[in-house]
Amino acid sequence: CGGRPWVVVRSSGPPSALRGARSIGLLIDATYTTVNGAALLALPPDDQAEVVGLLQEIADGMLAALTYRVAVPVVPASAESPPGEVRLAVRVFEIRPGWHGPIGAQSEVYVRLEWMVDGVPTDTIDASAWTPAPRSMMGALRSTGTWSVEGRMVLIAEVLGRVAAEFFVAEQSR
């Protein structure tokens, strides 16, 4: 209890390779994404399209949360990494969308946050976030935005963005 909300997989330095970064390019990678244990590409096309929408919610939410919490510009990553760019690849491993109702299931997302400098991986952490499903319409109304899976993904993305920002800020002094 009271520890960091991530597990370090790879750490650069000291000093940290992220120290003194001038900007962050954010990339969402769904190459190995599973949904409730099934490979994304094995899902029916309509379900794949829904998951792509959820991935966009995650990307938008993380971009907003990072932008708010770090002192450098955060932008969607371009195909080519400019020299000196710090890139954050959010590798989404598992999405459990959940559902609502009397026996609703929470929504969960498991990610690997891989930081790279000039395209070379330097720091990697694993993190996850979840939000409960409302049990009733009244519960959903009290917890604005969590009735829909999309709304819960926005909340999860904010948590993951805070985790990424906290790690990045901590690395600035290491």
Side-chain angles (χ1 to χ4, degrees), residues 11-74:
S11 180
S12 64
S16 172
L18 304 179
R19 192 176 200 169
R22 295 185 309 270
S23 67
I24 299 171
L26 180 67
L27 167 74
I28 302 295
D29 178 3
T31 305
Y32 301 105
T33 299
T34 61
V35 181
N36 294 325
L40 174 59
L41 295 178
L43 298 176
D46 288 349
D47 291 348
Q48 285 183 34
E50 280 185 41
V51 174
V52 168
L54 296 179
L55 289 165
Q56 188 61 54
E57 296 289 348
I58 292 169
D60 293 346
M62 286 193 71
L63 184 67
L66 271 165
T67 299
Y68 181 75
R69 290 177 174 78
V70 300
V72 298
V74 183

Side-chain angles (χ1 to χ4, degrees), residues 109-128:
V109 175
Y110 297 84
V111 297
R112 175 161 283 175
L113 304 177
E114 186 172 52
W115 298 87
M116 296 172 271
V117 177
D118 291 328
V120 177
T122 60
D123 296 87
T124 306
I125 61 174
D126 286 344
S128 62

